[in-house]
Amino acid sequence: MRYAVIWVLVLATVYIGDQFIRDLWLVGDEPRAVTARGDLAASEQHTIELFQNAAPSVVYIFTEGAYVSTPRGRARQSGTGTGFIWDQAGHVVTNFHVVDQAERVRVRLFDDTTVEARVIGAAPDHDIAVVRLSGVRAALRPIPVGSSADLKVGQAAYAIGNPFGLARTLTTGVVSALDRRLPTASHREIAGVIQTDAAINPGNSGGPLLDSAGRLIGVNTAIISDSGGSAGIGFAVPVDTVNRVVPALIRDGRMPRPGIGIVALPEDAVPGLPGIAVERVLQGSPAANAGLRGADARTGAIGDVIIGADGRPVRTLGDLAAAVERAGINGAVELTILRDGQRMTVRVMVVDVSGR
């Protein structure tokens, strides 16, 4: 009887083990049942609709420049960036640095057609340029334009661009800070710059920064990063500046540049200097008419040093440029200067120096 019980247990164990092994073979043999998701969250649906509405306005820009020598022979310089449709006439807005020195510009539209374009205007002081499409037959969708004057830190921000060649990539974040100042290649500074943590990477330059209504609030232009990729600190030219600059570029091909007619020494040329030293005064300029003095070409002695403008301190070229910009063309700026150790004030007219 005892041996019979043992055999029954052995047979049961063999059966159970065999069944377990067959069950193991069946695991993963069929797709899992899909769990019903339910409705999208309202915030998700909003972001989806925002992208669907804005993406057709965003374009991919390809540039070709001059031929240069490389270890493998001569090769043509090339670059990519982002832009967006400004109007039905085929004007596209992008960054100046995207098309700077480009000999050929091509634009890929939302329907994946690629058309030739040409630069019709540029404003290096604001890092803005306008290109015009040629031979476009498809209907264009201009991007809605908002305002940057009433932006608040913390409100949502959305960037669309072509980072690393990945077309129409959406990233989201917030307005991280306002009224930043961003240096440009023309040694001026863009005022009122928007800072955002929406991921901006190489290739995003010239693309739109949008608010939660899908309106343009800025043009993505720069990042701070040790690696070259997004570190959560991106900058956009404010749309109020863009909306002022672009019409002038379309109309005249350039943006008037307010100035007083001086050439300043580099900020680090004279260590410890309390302001901006005037290197040279342009003949016939408002600065010359006001009696400003540059450095002595024979002795190298420092000329006038501008330390203030309209009651505000001037420590950098950006400070001076901002004061001149505030005064505007045909306005006047009151400069506080040091001359031979003596403090004095000089009133100088502001004119358009873009042609000088």
Side-chain angles (χ1 to χ4, degrees):
M1 181 63 180
R2 184 175 60 182
Y3 294 110
V5 171
I6 291 173
W7 276 109
V8 169
L9 291 174
V10 169
L11 291 173
T13 302
V14 170
Y15 173 78
I16 293 171
D18 182 60
Q19 184 67 34
F20 176 72
I21 291 172
R22 282 188 286 118
D23 287 345
L24 281 178
W25 281 105
L26 293 175
V27 171
D29 191 51
E30 296 293 335
R32 291 281 309 276
V34 176
T35 302
R37 188 211 180 283
D39 295 335
L40 291 170
S43 59
E44 293 176 296
Q45 189 61 44
H46 171 266
T47 303
I48 291 169
E49 292 176 359
L50 182 146
F51 177 78
Q52 290 175 340
N53 290 332
S57 303
V58 181
V59 302
Y60 202 147
I61 296 178
F62 304 85
T63 64
E64 294 179 1
Y67 284 94
V68 295
S69 297
T70 71
R72 296 185 178 181
R74 287 174 58 78
R76 197 165 194 173
Q77 294 176 309
S78 62
T80 60
T82 306
F84 52 88
I85 304 296
W86 182 258
D87 57 26
Q88 293 285 359
H91 294 112
V92 170
V93 176
T94 187
N95 280 145
F96 168 72
H97 75 259
V98 170
V99 296
D100 184 23
Q101 300 184 13
E103 296 181 355
R104 185 186 185 190
V105 179
R106 290 175 296 157
V107 175
R108 183 187 296 164
L109 303 174
F110 183 72
D111 62 0
D112 286 332
T113 59
T114 300
V115 298
E116 296 289 333
R118 63 184 180 90
V119 179
I120 66 163
D125 290 350
H126 303 90
D127 200 13
I128 295 294
V130 176
V131 303
R132 184 164 186 172
L133 305 176
S134 60
V136 179
R137 297 179 182 177
L140 300 176
R141 187 183 296 184
I143 201 160
V145 173
S147 172
S148 50
D150 56 356
L151 291 177
K152 304 295 183 185
V153 173
Q155 73 178 77
Y158 306 80
I160 304 178
N162 309 305
F164 302 108
L166 301 172
R168 292 184 183 84
T169 297
L170 171 70
T171 56
T172 64
V174 298
V175 173
S176 304
L178 296 168
D179 295 325
R180 299 299 195 203
R181 292 167 67 174
L182 191 66
T184 67
S186 61
H187 305 293
R188 295 210 171 191
E189 289 183 334
I190 307 171
V193 171
I194 304 163
Q195 181 183 328
T196 180
D197 67 345
I200 296 173
N201 289 287
N204 274 106
S205 290
L209 186 70
L210 309 172
D211 64 10
S212 58
R215 307 177 310 160
L216 180 73
I217 57 172
V219 178
N220 299 318
T221 190
I223 60 174
I224 292 179
S225 172
D226 292 331
S227 65
S230 176
I233 303 177
F235 300 102
V237 180
V239 69
D240 292 351
T241 298
V242 177
N243 211 6
R244 177 169 51 89
V245 171
V246 169
L249 297 184
I250 293 174
R251 182 181 61 250
D252 303 321
R254 64 180 183 86
M255 181 67 184
R257 188 185 199 196
I260 59 175
I262 65 168
V263 176
L265 285 172
E267 294 170 12
D268 57 354
V270 184
L273 206 63
I276 299 301
V278 179
E279 178 183 16
R280 184 162 50 91
V281 178
L282 301 182
Q283 187 175 3
S285 68
N289 294 335
L292 285 179
R293 301 176 185 175
D296 190 315
R298 293 176 302 170
T299 66
I302 299 266
D304 291 338
V305 178
I306 301 172
I307 61 173
D310 293 332
R312 302 185 186 189
V314 169
R315 299 185 181 91
T316 66
L317 287 170
D319 292 336
L320 179 58
V324 171
E325 186 95 19
R326 284 192 300 269
I329 294 171
N330 297 324
V333 59
E334 187 172 271
L335 302 179
T336 303
I337 65 172
L338 290 178
R339 176 180 294 171
D340 299 327
Q342 299 298 313
R343 187 185 181 103
M344 57 187 297
T345 59
V346 179
R347 185 175 178 83
V348 186
M349 294 297 297
V350 177
V351 297
D352 180 8
V353 296
S354 58
R356 290 176 178 264

